[in-house]
Amino acid sequence: MKLSDIKGLGPTTEKYLNELGIFNAEDLINYYPYRYEIIENTDIDKLEDGDKIVVGGICENNPNVFRFNRKLNKMTFRLNTGRFIARVDIFNRIFLKDKLTVGTPITVIGKYDQKHSSITASDIKFGLIEETMIEPVYHSSFKISSSKISKLIKASLEKIKIKDYLPGSVCQKYKFISKDEAIKIAHNPKDKRSLNKALKRLKYEELFNFMLKINYLKDRKKKGNGLKRKVSYSKVEKIINNLPFELTKDQEKSVKDIYNDLISENRMNRLLQGDVGSGKTIVAFIALYINYLSGYQGALMAPTEILAHQHVLNIKRLLPNLNIVFLKGKMKTKEKREAKELIKEGKADIIIGTHALISEDVEYKSLGLVITDEQHRFGVNQRGNLKNKGMTPDILYMSATPIPRTYALTLYGDMDISSIRTMPSGRKPVKTILKKNKDIKDVLYMMLDEIKKGHQIYVVAPLVEESEKIELEDTYKLEEKMNKAFGKICKIGVMHGKMKPDEKANVMNEFKEGKITILISTTVIEVGVDVPNATMMVIFDSFRFGLSALHQLRGRVGRNSLDSYCILLSDRETKRLNVLTKTNDGFKVSEEDFKLRGGGDIFGTRQSGDMNFKLADVKNDYDLLLITKEDSSRFIKSKEFNEEKYSHIKSSVENSLNQD
Ligand code: ADP
Ligand code: MG
């Protein structure tokens, strides 16, 4: 229905509504109040001077009108509340004058002045409020007020027919009122109870539809389009038994999950998550090996060249008989051509690289498995590109930002998840200490202690978003500071985003070899190399980071049996940062992060346009989200899910798949 079809809605108003993003009557009725004003009669016995007052009474006289100028006027009259008589002043409501006659029952809302027994009213309602009055408040503009919007919505609600997509079985289960009724109540609530019921019904529907899409997507992605493989698990066991260490339970379980996915006829779409250092890499390698045994090529993408190179060295050690190809961004033309040919002819068994794997025209002979390490670093489109390279390769994502399972289920609802929760044995938890900037001296002494023991230290410079220039300055300022303190006793190295890859590699190598004792860097630098002798990390202005990011950073230390420390410097947000001093469990950290920041970090990694709910809020309505997840998954498998009525879900999922 067009806006112009609504009674009392002219072209000017239509323009104002357009500016609020409302283009038709459906938009209008879906424009929910952002809050509700609850008006209750004030308890007169508790009333004090200057309090807000809501009081009913009878007009004792016709109002006196004062006009100060063209824009400013005031009416004054006496109100008999039954308990006392108050003078009421109200500004700029001259249009109410004819209705405010002697004997009229009204409710006055305003501010109470005890000394003069007067009320400066902000609003007057006709009639007495019996219990509670709830007024919807809409996001409005200077041009169109909340109450005008309210009126227009009420007018259009009378005319419009509202489609109800919620399955009958669900409505029955929760005794939901109809959508029609719920929307009417949301815009025109009578009491708190029915309002809450209506809002719950509407939120449920939003979340249900969202989860329905995700569940549909999950089914759609998987069904039957996997690769045919035959590998016996005994071969997998053999390589596991030959490892220099025993796999942790979670690692073993993850390998099994992946094995089962790979040999099944459905396509794998799995997330492997676990803290930094939890041992995801070996699981990925075994996955690549299974894939190889079944006759396919496998690709492993790492976020940086340093990490990719590390993977190459490690996998060659594990699988010396396989043909491993390292594809770098910067390679000699001839070298690169040869590498690509090996891949095309199928002579390369496993291909490891960075973005080069996808950003260039690499042709695979038989790509069967694609693994991305630190998946959140890759944009959606890049991932999409890669998927199209082979046939329909199985996909494994690895992430070191652990997400509590429940959250992950919704965020990565279209994926299966394996989690590595326990660290390999022999790890000592990092001791995390929070310090104020004024206590920098203590910190320097702690650093000195470590240096004296022959240990090494990471110093993380404050990160300033998108400002390389400031980043540089800050890094150099820190270098100066560190040089003043320790320049005479040890070597200090600096790494920052502006350096060339080989310059970075040089600094990194010197740190690894122990020539550099203190390494100053920004997080832009992937400190991917394992330096077990580094036992301390000092992070300046740590409030700038999300908890999960800080947790990942501190994972760089504590890589041997020595005591190791992470020192967080910050004058701000100490309550939030304190979480890190209390736990070393990445899953717990990200859960706290989620609670405190609404999953800022987490949702940032996988934003979905579908998540823009009108009423529901992923954080506050999380329990409801979980319920709808279950309900929708059951529904999608039921007979009720008839394609006709729910075809809009199908088409919107197909659309989002095309973008992926
Ligand atoms: P991440 O999950 O961060 O990728 P890695 O796979 O790099 O962690 O593992 C960190 C280190 O732990 C590596 O040196 C690896 O060899 C070692 N490691 C992995 N699994 C185990 C295990 N089950 N027992 C002992 N050490 C292990
Ligand atoms: Mg890793």
Side-chain angles (χ1 to χ4, degrees):
M1 197 167 90
K2 282 192 293 198
L3 284 173
S4 51
D5 292 341
I6 297 163
K7 213 173 73 187
L9 206 160
T12 320
T13 308
E14 184 166 350
K15 206 179 96 205
Y16 297 159
L17 288 174
N18 289 170
E19 286 167 10
L20 292 171
I22 301 167
F23 296 94
N24 54 43
E26 284 75 20
D27 289 346
L28 190 58
I29 60 166
N30 282 317
Y31 196 76
Y32 294 107
Y34 77 96
R35 68 180 183 90
Y36 294 89
E37 178 85 33
I38 295 182
I39 303 165
E40 280 169 313
N41 286 312
T42 306
D43 183 348
I44 300 296
D45 293 327
K46 289 186 187 149
L47 191 65
E48 283 179 26
D49 185 47
D51 278 355
K52 185 189 169 192
I53 181 171
V54 178
V55 65
I58 308 287
C59 292
E60 282 264 305
N61 64 325
N62 293 340
N64 295 317
V65 176
F66 305 88
R67 291 177 197 272
F68 301 104
N69 55 41
R70 250 185 62 220
K71 282 191 177 154
L72 186 66
N73 57 66
K74 181 174 88 168
M75 291 193 294
T76 299
F77 59 91
R78 270 175 297 140
L79 179 78
N80 188 342
T81 70
R83 291 277 299 274
F84 61 95
I85 292 179
R87 192 188 82 218
V88 177
D89 296 319
I90 185 159
F91 290 88
N92 292 346
R93 299 289 168 91
I94 255 181
F95 52 89
L96 295 177
K97 178 172 180 271
D98 293 340
K99 287 166 89 182
L100 283 171
T101 49
V102 181
T104 310
I106 58 168
T107 299
V108 172
I109 301 161
K111 202 172 153 185
Y112 179 61
D113 177 340
Q114 193 163 37
K115 193 168 149 212
H116 301 97
S117 185
S118 72
I119 301 169
T120 306
S122 58
D123 201 7
I124 289 175
K125 312 241 168 253
F126 289 91
L128 300 175
I129 299 174
E130 308 226 323
E131 278 177 32
T132 316
M133 210 173 120
I134 307 176
E135 278 203 339
V137 184
Y138 297 89
H139 276 298
S140 50
S141 65
F142 285 119
K143 295 166 187 166
I144 187 161
S145 69
S146 169
S147 61
K148 173 88 182 175
I149 294 172
S150 174
K151 255 188 216 140
L152 293 172
I153 289 175
K154 279 171 194 158
S156 51
L157 275 172
E158 282 167 19
K159 285 194 165 182
I160 211 162
K161 239 183 99 53
I162 294 159
K163 271 190 207 151
D164 199 338
Y165 285 116
L166 218 47
S169 60
V170 165
C171 293
Q172 239 171 1
K173 181 175 170 191
Y174 299 105
K175 298 198 175 73
F176 279 145
I177 52 176
S178 73
K179 181 163 188 181
D180 193 65
E181 208 179 329
I183 291 188
K184 279 180 181 152
I185 293 173
H187 289 297
N188 193 13
K190 295 281 179 269
D191 60 85
K192 282 189 209 167
R193 248 192 81 210
S194 65
L195 175 62
N196 285 338
K197 248 171 105 175
L199 290 179
K200 191 172 168 197
R201 156 76 177 73
L202 296 169
K203 284 179 184 179
Y204 180 97
E205 181 175 336
E206 269 185 348
L207 296 169
F208 183 85
N209 284 340
F210 172 68
M211 289 315 306
L212 195 59
K213 270 189 208 169
I214 284 196
N215 279 319
Y216 182 83
L217 188 65
K218 194 169 171 172
D219 285 1
R220 158 77 168 66
K221 270 193 180 169
K222 274 166 99 182
K223 254 179 201 140
N225 55 3
L227 302 170
K228 301 263 179 309
R229 308 168 184 271
K230 246 196 184 142
V231 183
S232 94
Y233 196 71
S234 62
K235 284 191 180 153
V236 182
E237 270 174 335
K238 208 165 145 194
I239 192 171
I240 291 177
N241 290 335
N242 279 333
L243 291 174
F245 45 72
E246 209 173 310
L247 288 186
T248 62
K249 277 223 165 59
D250 288 342
Q251 280 175 319
E252 214 169 303
K253 170 80 172 34
S254 304
V255 169
K256 274 206 181 115
D257 288 345
I258 292 166
Y259 171 80
N260 286 331
D261 280 359
L262 289 177
I263 60 163
S264 98
E265 62 190 23
N266 293 330
R267 192 171 170 193
M268 175 165 79
N269 188 35
R270 184 170 286 278
L271 171 73
L272 174 62
Q273 58 164 357
D275 258 346
V276 173
S278 62
K280 296 183 292 295
T281 314
I282 189 67
V283 175
F285 287 177
I286 296 171
L288 286 166
Y289 182 60
I290 301 171
N291 175 64
Y292 161 79
L293 289 176
S294 64
Y296 292 101
Q297 292 174 302
L300 172 59
M301 290 200 296
T304 65
E305 216 144 89
I306 295 181
L307 279 175
H309 185 57
Q310 193 173 290
H311 286 326
V312 172
L313 297 178
N314 287 332
I315 203 167
K316 277 186 175 164
R317 218 172 298 143
L318 182 74
L319 305 167
N321 298 325
L322 268 61
N323 202 345
I324 314 285
V325 168
F326 183 20
L327 207 61
K328 286 183 278 195
K330 281 196 183 116
M331 276 170 103
K332 290 199 187 92
T333 323
K334 185 168 161 258
E335 242 184 318
K336 190 170 267 179
R337 203 183 51 230
E338 281 169 7
K340 282 186 187 169
E341 235 157 69
L342 287 175
I343 299 169
K344 194 175 170 184
E345 287 164 9
K347 285 182 187 144
D349 300 319
I350 290 170
I351 302 96
I352 295 179
T354 59
H355 304 252
L357 285 195
I358 48 168
S359 59
E360 298 184 22
D361 55 312
V362 187
E363 263 181 79
Y364 297 83
K365 177 143 189 276
S366 60
L367 187 59
L369 173 64
V370 172
I371 303 180
T372 54
D373 194 1
E374 305 295 328
Q375 73 84 209
H376 63 274
R377 285 166 187 271
F378 294 95
V380 170
N381 281 331
Q382 292 176 326
R383 272 181 273 146
N385 269 343
L386 186 77
K387 269 185 259 172
N388 297 328
K389 289 270 162 162
M391 300 159 280
T392 46
D394 286 300
I395 308 275
L396 179 68
Y397 300 106
M398 294 199 282
S399 172
T401 308
I403 300 172
R405 189 167 175 77
T406 44
Y407 300 140
L409 279 176
T410 50
L411 274 176
Y412 296 94
D414 54 336
M415 290 186 203
D416 296 302
I417 298 165
S418 299
S419 305
I420 307 181
R421 295 197 64 123
T422 46
M423 290 293 206
S425 55
R427 286 275 168 79
K428 260 195 177 173
V430 179
K431 285 196 184 105
T432 301
I433 300 159
L434 187 57
K435 286 278 183 191
K436 291 250 155 64
N437 286 331
K438 68 173 167 50
D439 298 326
I440 181 76
K441 250 198 183 144
D442 297 352
V443 178
L444 292 174
Y445 276 115
M446 290 162 90
M447 289 174 74
L448 186 61
D449 271 350
E450 290 306 301
I451 295 169
K452 278 184 183 160
K453 286 183 201 157
H455 301 163
Q456 288 162 281
I457 301 171
Y458 293 102
V459 173
V460 177
L463 169 126
V464 179
E465 246 172 77
E466 279 162 22
S467 170
E468 281 188 340
K469 198 166 161 248
I470 297 178
E471 182 195 312
L472 268 183
E473 280 172 14
D474 283 349
T475 319
Y476 287 134
K477 253 187 239 153
L478 254 184
E479 187 185 10
E480 230 172 80
K481 220 182 248 176
M482 291 298 142
N483 257 325
K484 229 186 232 164
F486 305 114
K488 289 208 177 91
I489 56 169
C490 66
K491 187 168 174 185
I492 295 159
V494 180
M495 280 218 296
H496 56 75
K498 281 263 166 96
M499 281 160 70
K500 297 203 180 81
D502 47 336
E503 288 178 318
K504 283 185 219 165
N506 277 345
V507 176
M508 205 58 237
N509 274 337
E510 279 194 50
F511 188 61
K512 204 176 175 185
E513 287 162 10
K515 288 180 190 151
I516 289 174
T517 303
I518 300 174
L519 178 64
I520 303 170
S521 77
T522 59
T523 46
V524 180
I525 311 297
E526 183 63 35
V527 196
V529 183
D530 219 16
V531 183
N533 190 46
T535 53
M536 181 175 275
M537 174 173 281
V538 182
I539 305 173
F540 282 80
D541 278 358
S542 43
F543 69 90
R544 290 188 198 275
F545 301 94
L547 293 183
S548 298
L550 288 169
H551 177 70
Q552 275 204 41
L553 275 173
R554 74 176 167 181
R556 306 288 170 206
V557 293
R559 300 209 150 204
N560 58 22
S561 55
L562 301 166
D563 279 331
S564 56
Y565 306 89
C566 172
I567 297 167
L568 304 173
L569 277 157
S570 177
D571 288 342
R572 288 159 57 178
E573 297 179 42
T574 48
K575 187 171 165 241
R576 182 170 70 87
L577 295 170
N578 232 334
V579 170
L580 291 170
T581 66
K582 291 187 186 121
T583 181
N584 262 295
D585 180 340
F587 287 87
K588 283 210 182 101
V589 169
S590 76
E591 193 160 348
E592 285 303 316
D593 217 1
F594 191 92
K595 278 187 201 150
L596 292 167
R597 318 206 318 171
D601 274 11
I602 303 170
F603 282 109
T605 65
R606 189 177 160 88
Q607 264 160 358
S608 159
D610 287 326
M611 298 279 259
N612 291 327
F613 301 118
K614 289 201 168 72
L615 281 171
D617 170 299
V618 180
K619 193 174 139 207
N620 292 327
D621 302 314
Y622 199 75
D623 293 339
L624 197 59
L625 185 66
L626 291 185
I627 292 171
T628 59
K629 182 182 158 47
E630 297 240 322
D631 289 349
S632 62
S633 128
R634 206 173 307 126
F635 169 67
I636 214 165
K637 289 178 194 119
S638 74
K639 268 186 279 172
E640 209 181 349
F641 183 63
N642 85 48
E643 301 285 324
E644 187 86 46
K645 188 175 172 194
Y646 294 95
S647 60
H648 62 290
I649 287 166
K650 208 175 156 182
S651 56
S652 99
V653 171
E654 300 295 338
N655 273 341
S656 69
L657 274 178
N658 289 337
Q659 289 165 16
D660 197 23

